Amino acid sequence: MLFTASELRTLLKRPLTDDECALAHDLTEDAFYGEVGERLTDPAQRGVKSVALMVAARVLTNPGGLRSEQAGGMLQSYSDDETGVILSDDERRRLRRAVGMASGASSLDIAPDDYCPPVRVWRAQ
């Protein structure tokens, strides 16, 4: 379990039904498994709960991914990449760090250990 219903209610400072809490938890957990897979443990690693609560709170307060709203002329703007439960870059980085994954860019060397690429030194003439 990533967080309890009581913790989510306390964070949002408003009453929530058990169904709302369960849905927010399940959607958050699903997004986390999509990002880090089976590296997520039960109980969750330190640092996971704070990210999970932030994601769940966003799911309940802005489920449609509304980015901006204007009263005069009634303009509403939605972000295409924020529909559903999408982790922000910061949430993704914090989650990956909490489960022991690299959070930045990296490269993969698939060459055999005994491979030595030819080196050519350029000299001005």
Side-chain angles (χ1 to χ4, degrees):
M1 175 164 277
L2 299 174
F3 55 85
T4 66
S6 176
E7 290 169 329
L8 186 57
R9 288 182 183 111
T10 300
L11 177 68
L12 290 176
K13 297 181 181 167
R14 68 181 173 100
L16 297 169
T17 67
D18 288 340
D19 288 342
E20 288 172 318
C21 292
L23 179 61
H25 184 277
D26 291 348
L27 292 173
T28 302
E29 186 176 57
D30 188 54
F32 281 19
Y33 274 112
E35 182 64 32
V36 299
E38 297 301 318
R39 290 177 179 92
L40 192 62
T41 60
D42 187 20
Q45 297 92 329
R46 291 179 62 92
V48 171
K49 182 185 287 192
S50 61
V51 179
L53 282 166
M54 291 298 111
V55 172
R58 187 175 67 244
V59 165
L60 293 174
T61 56
N62 190 12
L66 182 65
R67 182 168 292 256
S68 64
E69 190 171 37
Q70 180 180 351
M74 187 59 181
L75 172 69
Q76 293 181 329
S77 173
Y78 293 88
S79 174
D80 291 335
D81 62 345
E82 293 293 325
T83 55
V85 181
I86 303 294
L87 303 177
S88 70
D89 290 340
D90 181 58
E91 290 163 344
R92 184 175 292 111
R93 194 172 24 259
R94 291 174 57 199
L95 173 63
R96 292 175 65 85
R97 188 178 318 124
V99 300
M101 294 176 70
S103 59
S106 63
S107 63
L108 177 64
D109 185 2
I110 60 171
D113 289 337
D114 60 347
Y115 175 73
C116 182
V119 177
R120 177 184 250 167
V121 178
W122 181 83
R123 291 189 175 101
Q125 297 190 10

